[in-house]
Amino acid sequence: MTIEATVRNGTAAGIPKEQPKEPLTRFHLRVTATTFGANFSDGFALGVIGAVLPVLSTSMHLNGVWQGLLGASALIGLFFGSVILGRVADAIGRQKLYLYNFVLIAVASAAQLWAHDPWTLFVLRLLIGFGLGADYAVGPTLLSEFSPRRLRGLLLGSLTVLWTVGYVVANILGTYISLSDSSAHLLLAAGALPAVLVLILRIGTPESPSWLESQGRGAEADEIRRRYLGEEPEPRVEEGQTPAARVTPSYSALFAPGQRRNTWFGAIFYSAQVLPYFAIYTFMSTILASLHVSDANTQNTLLNLFLLLGGVVGLWPVQRMGRRPFTIWTFAILAVCLAAMAALHDTSGLVLMVPFVVYTFVMSAASNITQVYPPELFPTELRGAGVGFLNGASRVASAVGTFILPISLNALGVGWSMAWLAGVLLLGTLASIAWAPETKDLVTTEGWHH
């Protein structure tokens, strides 16, 4: 099945020649806001561990292996949550997971306040990651299936900006709060606050009409469109006619002819982008010290501000450019930046900050595409499983990178560590040149009548 198969109800495979301009409703804004809040919560939960690890390493007497495990713990949970629950979302629908995953996240986040040994903290962060994995699979999927096509890139790309805000807030709090063991645990547990707010706001969110259509439940889909979007659907086929055959979701279908190329591209592109991101920013303080950067706290704050700026500025090219050129060019720039850091690692900290700042800005801008591309690579029947698989694969890569980087910094030094991370980005560049499809004008709101 190809990505063009997402258009149904009388249109030929592919994009219809003329698409009506879908309105942006209050309900669109509500779904976007609750998904935004989830991404803030995600970013905070993943960013806070890097902020508190230096303190916990002392209070818990952590060796390099435990530092790597705790740094990667939520990412490991994300893998299992994305892969398992993404498949479940295609089987039972988006809405239930969209609501209940944040119960787990809120409870496990709060419990970190009392996690004073590495094993307990590791397990809790695995659970947080598992819950976040559901949201990585279901949140962008649900939003893509509700979003007007003309604004889909902007709305989905904005998710990463809110993720970055949460990530940066955690880092800045960790930098400027005088952390002790107790305050570090309090900062970890603070992730429960946005999680509870998201949970409350999500109560009452309906099921995706696109998913209902894919299950042959058109009447229910029409009722949701009528009630929440103010649409009056066109008459359906007469009773007694055979509806379109439903597709039973399975991971094997992700690798069927016509779909496997998109699946492999998505896994490589997503993994190659986030592996250096999580590895570098989890161990930012160690890298800055290795580069002999003076006033590391100020430089860390500067880099975090460029993370925010890059995310905001990056919304424009995601919306205006095609997905394919945006992905190829950002990969190429990022690879050059880390290669420059590898080559110049013995020079002054001021010189090294130039490619580091450029890398930070472009990486944040490029990360917007990770919320946009995955839902567009799969038809509705496979979208939850597909997005879940890509998120799972990327989190394996992130966890591996986060675990290996501190060992690499100790064994090989910062120069060679930046070199192999540049190689990962080069792989992403080549895969994008070879396989990246253009999906900007793809219709993901299956079965909508205008």
Side-chain angles (χ1 to χ4, degrees), residues 5 9 28 89 102 143 150 167 191-192 199 216 241 291 321 343 391:
N9 297 316
H28 287 131
F102 262 84
L143 184 56
R150 63 191 174 89
Y167 193 83
L199 177 61
Q241 288 186 269
L291 294 174
M321 291 177 64
N391 276 290

Side-chain angles (χ1 to χ4, degrees), residues 73-353:
S73 54
L75 298 172
I76 297 170
L78 271 162
F79 164 74
F80 289 104
S82 295
V83 171
I84 296 172
L85 298 179
R87 168 70 175 81
V88 171
D90 282 334
I92 69 170
R94 325 302 194 201
Q95 187 268 344
K96 294 181 180 65
L97 292 177
Y98 191 69
L99 178 65
Y100 293 119
N101 68 315
F102 262 84
V103 175
L104 175 62
I105 294 168
V107 172
S109 295
Q112 291 178 108
L113 183 62
W114 300 280
H116 291 282
D117 65 271
W119 271 112
T120 302
L121 184 58
F122 179 74
V123 170
L124 287 173
R125 294 195 61 78
L126 279 178
L127 293 175
I128 292 169
F130 189 80
L132 292 177
D135 217 73
Y136 273 68
V138 178
T141 297
L142 190 66
L143 184 56
S144 75
E145 292 171 355
F146 273 120
S147 299
R149 178 173 58 89
R150 63 191 174 89
L151 296 174
R152 188 174 66 237
L154 177 64
L155 295 179
L156 288 171
S158 298
L159 297 180
T160 304
V161 176
L162 269 292
W163 186 96
T164 304
V165 171
Y167 193 83
V168 168
V169 167
N171 278 325
I172 290 180
L173 288 175
T175 299
Y176 289 101
I177 292 176
S178 181
L179 290 177
S180 60
D181 180 69
S182 59
S183 59
H185 282 83
L186 185 61
L187 187 57
L188 285 168
L193 298 177
V196 169
L197 179 60
V198 168
L199 177 61
I200 293 172
L201 292 175
R202 285 188 173 184
I203 295 173
T205 302
E207 184 55 81
S208 161
S210 295
W211 180 81
L212 291 171
E213 290 279 0
S214 74
Q215 302 299 300
R217 296 161 60 181
E220 294 174 63
D222 287 345
E223 178 58 28
I224 288 174
R225 296 189 186 107
R226 184 181 296 110
R227 179 178 177 183
Y228 291 94
L229 301 171
E231 294 186 0
E232 287 300 326
E234 298 172 358
R236 292 187 171 271
V237 296
E238 295 179 5
E239 187 176 355
Q241 288 186 269
T242 303
R246 288 188 285 174
V247 175
T248 301
S250 69
Y251 278 116
S252 63
L254 300 179
F255 300 94
Q259 183 60 51
R260 65 167 67 101
R261 177 170 147 171
N262 281 353
T263 300
W264 282 119
F265 160 71
I268 295 172
F269 130 77
Y270 205 162
S271 299
Q273 188 178 100
V274 301
L275 187 154
Y277 192 155
F278 280 106
I280 288 173
Y281 286 97
T282 299
F283 296 99
M284 174 70 76
S285 59
T286 304
I287 292 172
L288 291 175
S290 300
L291 294 174
H292 308 293
V293 172
S294 60
D295 195 3
N297 283 348
T298 300
Q299 301 301 337
N300 189 22
T301 301
L302 175 67
L303 291 169
N304 277 287
L305 291 176
F306 270 90
L307 269 179
L308 284 176
L309 182 61
V312 173
V313 173
L315 290 174
W316 183 85
V318 166
Q319 178 69 6
R320 303 298 298 178
M321 291 177 64
R323 314 299 194 227
R324 176 181 167 85
F326 180 82
T327 302
I328 292 172
W329 280 108
T330 52
F331 261 130
I333 294 169
L334 293 169
V336 169
C337 288
L338 289 194
M341 291 179 65
L344 300 171
H345 72 278
D346 283 331
T347 59
S348 71
L350 182 61
V351 172
L352 281 165
M353 285 301 293

